[in-house]
Amino acid sequence: MSKEIKTVNYGLEKIFEGAQDFLPLLGTDYVEFYVGNAKQSAHFYKTAFGFQSYAYKGLETGSKDSVSYVLKQDKIKLVLTTPLNSSSSINNHIVKHGDGVKVIALWVEDARKAYQETTSRGAKWYMEPFVEKDENGEVVRAGIYTYGETVHMFVERKNYNGSFLPGFREWKSDYNPTPIGLKFIDHMVGNVGWGQMNTWVKWYEDVMGFENFLSFDDKQIHTEYSALMSKVMSNGNGRIKFPINEPAKGKKRSQIEEYLDFYEGAGVQHIAVATDNIIKAVTSLRERGVEFLSIPPEEYYKAVPGRLEEHSHELREDIETLKSLGIMIDADEEGYLLQIFTKPVEDRPTLFFEIIQRMGARGFGAGNFKALFESIEREQANRGTL
Ligand code: FE2
């Protein structure tokens, strides 16, 4: 496999040629958060983001140590888990990291094989293949550690007809805020420590068979004050994309450093969820109280037609509407994309969400990095952490 790093020239037609097929992934299965109060978090994700009640386990289902609420919106499944007593090991995670992502679960045909292929290539085990059964069949799960205390769980559900997992029951609620049109997880970004990006790039190449298809160095991602580096890893079919960030030296503290300080280690920085109508989605999110980073300045929107170049005529959305909602625009050779970033969704300045609509472009909004990071720096300055 070629280890040559392709820089950001958007020569994307060859992006997945180096990816390996020993670990076929069908998609993201679920994302599990460890949180201090799952009941209230579930209410937030329903109310603010339009997720639907889906499945539940807790005291009523015989789960004595922890409670989990599963929320769904189209293909996205979030699991919110809280321990029910002080002896649960989940507490340690919450004490150290605050609310955050513990598990990025990946849907596979064969969880035992996925576990064997990855652990034999050096992955650290989290959970050996484990079979759970109920009247709807069986699910096999197995887990390995990735960066920090974050876990990849392989989920094999081909012999299961139930809705989520054995041990969960359907969760029906009288409170069902309407969905806002979030469709699937586009990518999930990990922040790792100083000098660790290439270690984790190699780990995803060697252990998971992923390929590095885009790279951004600190000359591309910097503002007057701070900088970071990022490499995007993808599996062979392109359904799973994990950019990996590390801080770089700048005049002031990088947002990645701020994350690492408050999360107390490496972890998931943001979850990007795709929509096919970002104007509708962001209008709803704002009405429901979701906080976004500040709207880019006037000059940013004035420069959009020039930045879009040949894709300028393709832009279906009205720039004034995008501006009023703070939605950013970027383009590459294949099309354009629209994106916006929330403020952190918990008190520690750690995890946040991105809403993204791809109109052909397969990049990550490199043209927006400067405006985005200046916006984050304004938040950092308010927090006294710049
Ligand atoms: Fe992103």
Side-chain angles (χ1 to χ4, degrees), residues 187 189 270 272 341 354:
H187 60 276
V189 180
H270 75 266
F341 298 84
E354 172 183 352

Side-chain angles (χ1 to χ4, degrees), residues 42 44-53 71-74 76-78 175-180 182 273 288 353:
F44 170 76
Y45 284 106
K46 286 172 68 171
T47 303
F49 284 84
F51 281 91
Q52 306 295 300
S53 299
L71 302 167
K72 192 166 185 288
Q73 188 162 184
D74 206 319
I76 311 165
K77 281 178 279 184
L78 304 184
Y175 178 61
N176 304 297
T178 49
I180 60 147
L182 303 180
V273 289
R288 293 164 182 225
F353 281 82

Side-chain angles (χ1 to χ4, degrees), residues 116-265:
Q116 200 273 325
E117 293 283 359
T118 50
T119 51
S120 70
R121 288 173 168 82
K124 184 178 152 196
W125 70 274
Y126 171 74
M127 186 176 93
E128 288 186 352
F130 185 68
V131 182
E132 293 158 292
K133 295 182 188 187
D134 67 12
E135 66 277 10
N136 296 307
E138 66 171 48
V139 172
V140 187
R141 290 191 298 158
I144 58 169
Y145 277 101
T146 175
Y147 47 78
E149 291 195 278
T150 316
V151 165
H152 286 316
M153 190 76 82
F154 302 115
V155 184
E156 171 190 328
R157 47 173 77 254
K158 62 177 181 282
N159 297 314
Y160 193 63
N161 296 318
S163 56
F164 186 58
L165 292 174
F168 284 78
R169 73 172 189 205
E170 191 183 3
W171 173 25
K172 286 237 187 249
S173 172
D174 293 331
Y175 178 61
N176 304 297
T178 49
I180 60 147
L182 303 180
K183 300 285 184 190
F184 59 88
I185 292 178
D186 185 275
H187 60 276
M188 294 184 70
V189 180
N191 281 344
V192 300
W194 291 95
Q196 294 296 302
M197 177 179 70
N198 285 328
T199 306
W200 287 102
V201 165
K202 188 164 168 25
W203 187 90
Y204 275 103
E205 287 173 345
D206 295 349
V207 171
M208 303 278 283
F210 281 36
E211 191 184 23
N212 170 218
F213 81 95
L214 277 178
S215 299
F216 308 98
D217 66 23
D218 49 340
K219 287 176 197 67
Q220 292 161 305
I221 312 185
H222 71 95
T223 65
E224 187 185 348
Y225 297 120
S226 67
L228 63 86
M229 295 189 274
S230 187
K231 289 186 176 177
V232 184
M233 306 306 294
S234 174
N235 79 319
N237 62 21
R239 291 183 201 172
I240 309 294
K241 292 186 283 294
F242 295 143
I244 309 287
N245 295 336
E246 74 172 29
K249 287 243 180 301
K251 280 190 213 160
K252 294 193 176 182
R253 188 155 70 151
S254 154
Q255 51 162 303
I256 310 303
E257 269 179 281
E258 184 196 37
Y259 176 99
L260 295 168
D261 288 349
F262 280 90
Y263 199 72
E264 298 192 16

